[in-house]
Amino acid sequence: HLASSRLTSPQVHIGDSISKDLLGALRCGARCVLLTRPTHPLPRADAEVALTPPADGAWWGEAAGLGEASSLIEGWDAAPSPLASPEGPGTAWVAAGKPVPWE
């Protein structure tokens, strides 16, 4: 089961759900692109929006579509992997004293 272990190489998950896609990817140690789809926005409950971790460009980003997601991923490919750092996803979230929903 992927959610129960950390990945050892950079992986990217693309999805449109904060609780399932974004937090699931971060929990596994993968980068994530959260699709926002402004032309067909998905209704999100306040409780789901509240789960959104703080912006962390090394671990996740938002994209309006797959073209924008591709550009974001290309930028990550050009940067050092965050897996080389002892800090995992959500470091700012933890520093702010918030519970970590992906652990």
Side-chain angles (χ1 to χ4, degrees), residues 23 50-54 90 92-103:
L23 296 182
L51 293 174
T52 307
W93 187 259
V94 174
K98 297 188 178 202
V100 182
W102 54 84
E103 292 187 332

Side-chain angles (χ1 to χ4, degrees), residues 29-40:
R31 289 172 165 161
C32 184
V33 176
L34 182 65
L35 293 177
T36 55
R37 301 180 189 183
T39 56
H40 301 293

Side-chain angles (χ1 to χ4, degrees):
H1 185 258
L2 187 60
S4 64
S5 63
R6 291 265 179 204
L7 299 171
T8 57
S9 63
Q11 303 291 318
V12 177
H13 179 82
I14 298 174
D16 56 13
S17 167
I18 294 169
S19 61
K20 295 175 184 167
D21 295 312
L22 176 58
L23 296 182
L26 293 176
R27 184 175 186 193
C28 293
R31 289 172 165 161
C32 184
V33 176
L34 182 65
L35 293 177
T36 55
R37 301 180 189 183
T39 56
H40 301 293
L42 294 174
R44 290 192 173 125
D46 290 342
E48 171 129 339
V49 173
L51 293 174
T52 307
D56 185 343
W59 283 98
W60 74 277
E62 292 186 52
L66 294 179
E68 194 175 315
S70 178
S71 295
L72 182 61
I73 293 166
E74 287 174 6
W76 284 334
D77 286 344
S81 169
L83 294 173
S85 167
E87 298 179 350
T91 304
W93 187 259
V94 174
K98 297 188 178 202
V100 182
W102 54 84
E103 292 187 332

